Every structure is written in structure tokens, then in C-alpha cells.
């Protein structure tokens, strides 16, 4: 065992002495800091109210009234009078975003007269009594879900927020809208899976509202999170994709690990030691794999404080909320982040094993690295094309099973693609790569 770890030590020295390795490690560090900084820029763009531009923020119904006079559709006089009343309110797109949502409700009601609109809106306009306005809107609700939403707002003191509003209830407003949309969908004919999905949205949303949980780290996974408020969880979950960069570095190291020994002629000196070829090969393989995971840990250690400094440490103790069997389950968000990074790291293991198998077959490190990178790039593209063409057999390819985090979340592009199936496919391919690597290195003539 001591001799084995001696070989591992020598491999580490050889790998880390290379200038190319040092440069790529620096690039990984810069990528971790740089990508986290991009999240900070996106956060500022989303939160900066100046992101929205208005030449004139006053709400003007003049054009709508002119169009009604010119076209005179059925019942236009009633609508014209309604617009005349709304014009007198002197509403502003920036200052009155919450009230404008109530106004949009009023405008959408068929046959709404100016007098009725005045009765509904005057409590809010004259006395800032928004609850009375919402209560007056309940009889006009278009669905049971909408009526429920208005009652819930009144009972729980959640006013409309609007796109440009910034207040402590803004997240509640957004979440309540999401729950209402799910409740409206439940009023339609749905399949069992669709119904379960909408019921889970309602259950989770109400749980967060009742327990005052503003952020659910589970919502920060994936590209959709980038269009909403960005926080530390958005960065930590999505930066797990950095494992791809680490995997490419490991692939380059693994691709030259064996081939360099032949191209540089050092393989003869290596085999002169009283050590079996298999042990030499395993020491190289162990060195590459462990180096890959050390780099991944280093990347995570850089991302965590950087994300906290740039995006804030608020919410670092928030629970990770999911719905299981109709009940909300709380778990540790930071442990879920670590799990996501570990699932993403499978690419490092597969890339390294594949590259070493190619390196053992070829005597040129350039060919070994080039062939490995090409196969992985072409493989991912091929799987995407086959998936788009509906060729389900492509799920048996190794490239279709590398993103375990996406597969475990049920977001695979292939139907019925489970995590257990993906793991079995990867194990089968790993066995082929390892056998190829072992056979080529132990039997190749020097």
C-alpha cells in the first residue's frame, strides 16, 4: 500500500508541475468568481427600478376614448363613460401600480358602468382603503379561485404589489398569484399527474404563506430562476455546472496521463520498477480522479463565500421545501446543494475514465485528448438530436445519463428516465472503459 501511494505522490508531482495544469486551475478559479459576479449583475438589473423606462408615466385613456367615438361598437357609450371616470383618477404607472391592478379587474368586468366602478374604487382612491375595494370585487370574480384570492388577501393583509413595487409583501403577492393560477387550473379536467402537480403548488404555496417563508431554495434550480429574484441559492445550485469545466480539465490530464509516458519514452523507466503494471495504472487513475474532486471542492469553497459576499448571506438557513404524498417536507438546503454538486461531479468520473481508456489505446497525448474531447462534445450533441427526433433508444448512451441532477428532478428529455436507470447505464459503460483501459495498458508492448 505504501508503494501504491508513493506512485500516487509521483503522479501528483508530475501533473502539478505542468504549466498547462497550473493555467487551467487558475482559469477554474477565475470562472468560479466570474460566473458568481454575473449573478450579481443580473440581480441588480432585476431589482433596479430604472430598468423600466417610461417617457410619460401618467395613465391616459384618451386614445381608447377616441377609438370608441370613431368605431362606436355596441355599448360603447357605457365603456366611454367608464374611461372618462378612470381618466379623472389621474393614475400613474409607477406610483399606482397596486391600484392599477384593481383597475384592470374593473375594466375586465363585462357591462361595468362608471357609477359601479366609482363605488368599487372610491374607498381605495379616497381613503386608501384597499380592503373595501377588494371586498367589492368579490361578487364579480370570474372563478372560485379568483374569489378565494381576494378573500385571502383581505384576511391576511396582502395587497397587490405590481411589477414596480418594492415592499415586504411583494413575494407574498407573487406567490399568491401562483397559487391562484394553480387553483384555477384545478377547476379544469386534468390527468392524475397534472392534478397532483397543481395540488402540490397549492400545498407548498400556502405552507410558505402561512409560515412566512419568503424563499424556497428548491425554486432556485434551473434557468427559470434567473428571471426572478436572484439570491445566494440561485448561484450555489446553478454553479454546479462548473463541474463540466473541472471535468474537461481532468479529461485533458487523464488523456495525457498514459500517452505521455509512451510519447516521451518514460514508460520504460516506469516499468523497470518492481511494480505490476496494473498497480501503476491504478495509481494514475486514482491520482486523476482524486485531483478532479479536490478541484471541485476547491471550486465550491470559492463559490460559497463569493456568492454570499456578492448576493448576501440572507436566507442561508432557509429550509429546502418539497411536497411528498401531499405534505410539505423540510430539509437542509445546503446539504441539497452539496448533493447537486456531487451528482454533477459524475461527469468528472466518466470523463476521466473515458479519457484514460483512450490514452491507454493511443501513444499520442494530443490524439488521446483530442479524441476524448471530440467524442464527449459530439456525443452530447448527438443525444440532443436523437431526443428531438423521438428516438428513445438514445437513453442507453452514456452521454444521455451524465446530468444526474436533472434526471433525479424528473426533467430528462426522455420519458420515464429514472435516476436508477441512469446509474445502471453509467456503471455498464464504466465497466467497459475500465476493462479497455486495463487490457490496453497491461498488454501493450513497450
Amino acid at each position: 500500500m505504501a508503494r501504491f501511494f508513493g506512485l500516487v505522490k509521483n503522479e501528483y508531482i508530475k501533473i502539478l508541475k505542468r504549466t498547462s495544469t497550473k493555467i487551467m486551475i487558475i482559469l477554474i478559479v477565475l470562472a468560479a468568481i466570474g460566473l458568481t459576479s454575473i449573478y450579481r449583475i443580473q440581480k441588480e438589473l432585476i431589482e433596479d427600478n430604472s430598468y423600466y423606462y417610461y417617457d410619460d408615466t401618467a395613465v391616459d385613456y384618451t386614445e381608447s376614448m377616441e377609438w370608441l367615438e370613431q368605431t362606436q361598437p355596441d355599448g360603447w357609450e357605457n365603456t366611454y363613460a367608464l374611461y372618462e371616470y378612470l381618466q379623472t383618477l389621474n393614475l400613474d404607472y409607477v406610483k399606482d401600480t397596486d391600484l392599477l391592478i384593481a383597475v384592470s379587474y374593473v375594466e375586465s368586468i363585462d357591462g361595468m358602468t362608471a357609477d359601479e366602478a366609482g363605488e368599487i374604487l372610491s374607498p381605495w382612491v379616497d381613503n386608501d382603503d384597499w380592503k373595501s375595494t377588494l371586498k367589492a370585487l368579490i361578487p364579480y370574480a370570474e372563478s372560485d379561485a379568483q374569489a378565494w384570492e381576494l378573500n385571502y388577501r383581505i384576511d391576511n393583509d396582502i395587497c397587490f404589489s405590481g411589477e414596480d413595487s418594492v415592499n415586504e409583501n411583494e413575494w407574498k403577492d407573487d406567490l399568491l398569484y401562483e397559487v391562484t393560477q394553480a387553483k384555477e387550473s384545478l377547476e379544469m379536467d386534468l390527468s392524475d399527474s397534472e392534478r397532483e402537480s397543481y395540488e402540490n403548488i397549492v400545498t407548498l404555496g400556502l405552507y410558505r404563506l402561512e409560515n412566512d417563508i419568503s424563499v424556497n431554495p428548491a425554486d432556485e434550480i434551473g434557468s427559470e430562476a434567473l428571471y426572478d429574484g436572484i439570491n445566494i441559492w440561485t448561484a450555489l445550485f446553478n454553479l454546479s455546472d462548473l463541474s463540466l469545466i473541472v471535468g474537461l480539465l481532468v479529461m485533458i490530464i487523464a488523456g495525457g496521463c498514459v500517452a505521455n509516458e509512451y510519447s516521451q519514452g518514460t514508460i520504460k523507466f516506469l516499468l523497470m520498477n518492481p511494480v505490476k503494471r496494473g498497480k501503476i495504472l491504478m495509481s494514475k487513475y486514482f491520482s486523476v480522479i482524486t485531483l478532479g474532486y479536490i478541484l471541485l471542492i476547491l471550486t465550491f469553497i470559492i463559490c460559497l463565500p463569493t456568492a454570499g459576499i456578492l448576493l448576501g448571506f440572507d436566507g442561508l438557513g432557509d429550509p429546502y421545501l418539497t411536497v411528498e404524498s401531499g405534505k410539505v417536507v423540510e430539509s437542509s438546503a445546503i446539504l441539497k446543494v452539496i448533493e447537486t454538486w456531487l451528482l454533477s461531479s459524475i461527469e468528472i468520473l466518466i470523463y476521466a475514465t473515458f479519457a484514460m481508456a483512450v490514452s491507454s489505446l493511443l501513444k499520442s497525448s494530443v490524439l488521446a485528448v483530442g479524441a476524448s474531447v471530440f467524442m464527449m462534445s459530439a456525443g452530447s450533441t448527438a443525444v440532443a438530436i436523437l431526443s428531438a427526433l423521438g428516438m428513445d433508444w438514445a437513453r442507453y448512451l452514456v452521454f444521455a445519463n451524465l446530468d444526474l441532477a436533472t434526471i433525479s428532478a424528473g426533467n430528462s428529455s426522455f420519458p420515464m428516465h429514472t435516476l436508477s436507470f441512469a446509474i445502471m447505464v453509467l456503471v455498464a459503460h464504466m465497466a467497459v472503459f475500465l476493462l479497455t483501459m486495463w487490457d490496453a495498458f497491461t498488454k501493450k508492448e513497450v
Side-chain angles (χ1 to χ4, degrees):
M1 186 62 70
R3 186 170 291 176
F4 174 80
F5 283 107
L7 291 171
V8 171
K9 179 181 177 181
N10 290 335
E11 283 300 320
Y12 267 107
I13 292 172
K14 286 191 287 186
I15 292 172
L16 296 176
K17 281 179 64 177
R18 298 173 189 164
T19 303
S20 59
T21 303
K22 296 176 182 177
I23 292 174
M24 294 201 72
I25 291 175
I26 293 173
L27 290 176
I28 289 175
V29 173
L30 292 177
I33 297 174
L35 289 176
T36 310
S37 301
I38 290 175
Y39 285 111
R40 171 64 184 183
I41 295 171
Q42 288 181 302
K43 178 182 175 70
E44 291 182 350
L45 287 175
I46 292 172
E47 294 181 350
D48 188 358
N49 286 331
S50 64
Y51 182 77
Y52 301 94
Y53 298 96
Y54 301 97
D55 293 328
D56 183 4
T57 59
V59 179
D60 189 0
Y61 291 90
T62 302
E63 290 186 5
S64 298
M65 294 165 65
E66 290 176 352
W67 179 84
L68 287 171
E69 282 187 306
Q70 293 172 2
T71 58
Q72 297 187 358
D74 293 339
W76 72 274
E77 296 93 342
N78 183 66
T79 306
Y80 187 92
L82 174 62
Y83 285 156
E84 273 189 319
Y85 163 70
L86 295 177
Q87 185 82 337
T88 64
L89 298 181
N90 297 319
L91 300 176
D92 188 282
Y93 281 117
V94 176
K95 298 177 181 178
D96 303 311
T97 52
D98 48 0
L99 177 56
L100 281 169
I101 296 176
V103 171
S104 68
Y105 270 80
V106 170
E107 289 185 72
S108 66
I109 299 172
D110 291 336
M112 175 62 62
T113 67
D115 291 338
E116 290 172 334
E119 291 179 8
I120 294 172
L121 296 173
S122 58
W124 195 340
V125 174
D126 298 335
N127 304 310
D128 201 26
D129 182 9
W130 61 269
K131 287 187 178 181
S132 294
T133 292
L134 265 58
K135 187 175 181 179
L137 282 172
I138 292 175
Y140 298 99
E142 296 179 354
S143 65
D144 291 340
Q146 193 177 86
W148 171 87
E149 177 198 356
L150 295 171
N151 275 307
Y152 193 93
R153 288 182 181 278
I154 296 169
D155 295 339
N156 294 275
D157 199 31
I158 305 174
C159 184
F160 298 122
S161 290
E163 293 183 357
D164 297 309
S165 297
V166 178
N167 58 62
E168 60 181 12
N169 282 338
E170 185 177 5
W171 70 269
K172 293 182 181 179
D173 180 66
D174 294 338
L175 187 56
L176 189 52
Y177 177 77
E178 182 181 342
V179 171
T180 303
Q181 293 296 305
K183 278 182 167 290
E184 288 182 343
S185 298
L186 287 171
E187 296 175 6
M188 301 184 294
D189 291 331
L190 303 169
S191 65
D192 291 341
S193 60
E194 289 174 330
R195 181 165 295 278
E196 181 182 7
S197 176
Y198 287 121
E199 287 175 347
N200 289 345
I201 292 174
V202 173
T203 301
L204 186 56
L206 291 177
Y207 183 87
R208 287 179 57 191
L209 288 168
E210 292 165 5
N211 292 275
D212 200 31
I213 301 174
S214 60
V215 174
N216 180 17
D219 295 335
E220 305 306 314
I221 303 176
S223 58
E224 290 184 4
L226 303 181
Y227 298 97
D228 205 344
I230 293 176
N231 54 52
I232 188 172
W233 296 118
T234 316
L236 292 180
F237 276 111
N238 293 287
L239 285 174
S240 62
D241 291 340
L242 283 168
S243 60
L244 176 61
I245 299 177
V246 176
L248 290 173
L249 169 59
V250 172
M251 178 185 287
I252 292 172
I253 294 172
C257 196
V258 176
N260 279 336
E261 301 287 0
Y262 286 96
S263 61
Q264 296 173 5
T266 55
I267 187 65
K268 295 180 180 180
F269 299 103
L270 188 61
L271 296 179
M272 287 174 62
N273 294 318
V275 181
K276 293 183 179 179
R277 287 192 178 193
K279 184 173 287 189
I280 294 173
L281 178 63
M282 286 299 100
S283 68
K284 289 180 175 292
Y285 183 66
F286 181 83
S287 300
V288 170
I289 297 298
T290 53
L291 178 61
Y293 278 90
I294 289 172
L295 290 174
L296 187 65
I297 293 171
L298 173 64
T299 304
F300 181 77
I301 291 174
I302 293 171
C303 288
L304 179 57
T306 304
I309 292 170
L310 295 177
L311 301 172
F313 287 98
D314 295 339
L316 195 58
D318 288 343
Y320 185 94
L321 304 176
T322 54
V323 180
E324 298 178 10
S325 302
K327 295 182 179 180
V328 177
V329 177
E330 293 189 13
S331 55
S332 170
I334 194 66
L335 290 180
K336 188 65 179 181
V337 168
I338 294 173
E339 177 188 330
T340 302
W341 279 66
L342 288 176
L343 288 175
S344 298
S345 73
I346 193 65
E347 296 182 4
I348 296 175
L349 185 62
I350 300 297
Y351 285 179
T353 308
F354 179 78
M356 280 202 68
V358 176
S359 181
S360 299
L361 290 169
L362 304 175
K363 293 185 178 182
S364 169
S365 60
V366 175
L367 287 175
V369 173
S372 301
V373 174
F374 173 77
M375 286 297 293
M376 285 300 173
S377 301
S380 300
T381 303
V383 166
I385 294 173
L386 293 173
S387 173
L389 294 175
M391 298 184 180
D392 193 52
W393 58 265
R395 72 170 69 194
Y396 292 97
L397 299 176
V398 65
F399 315 107
N401 297 277
L402 292 176
D403 193 354
L404 293 182
T406 298
I407 295 172
S408 65
N411 297 323
S412 173
S413 56
F414 295 99
M416 306 300 291
H417 196 179
T418 63
L419 182 61
S420 57
F421 174 85
I423 292 174
M424 287 190 292
V425 172
L426 292 176
V427 169
H429 281 85
M430 279 286 290
V432 174
F433 297 156
L434 288 169
L435 288 173
T436 302
M437 178 173 62
W438 181 276
D439 184 70
F441 186 80
T442 56
K443 295 182 180 180
K444 183 182 290 187
E445 295 183 1
V446 180

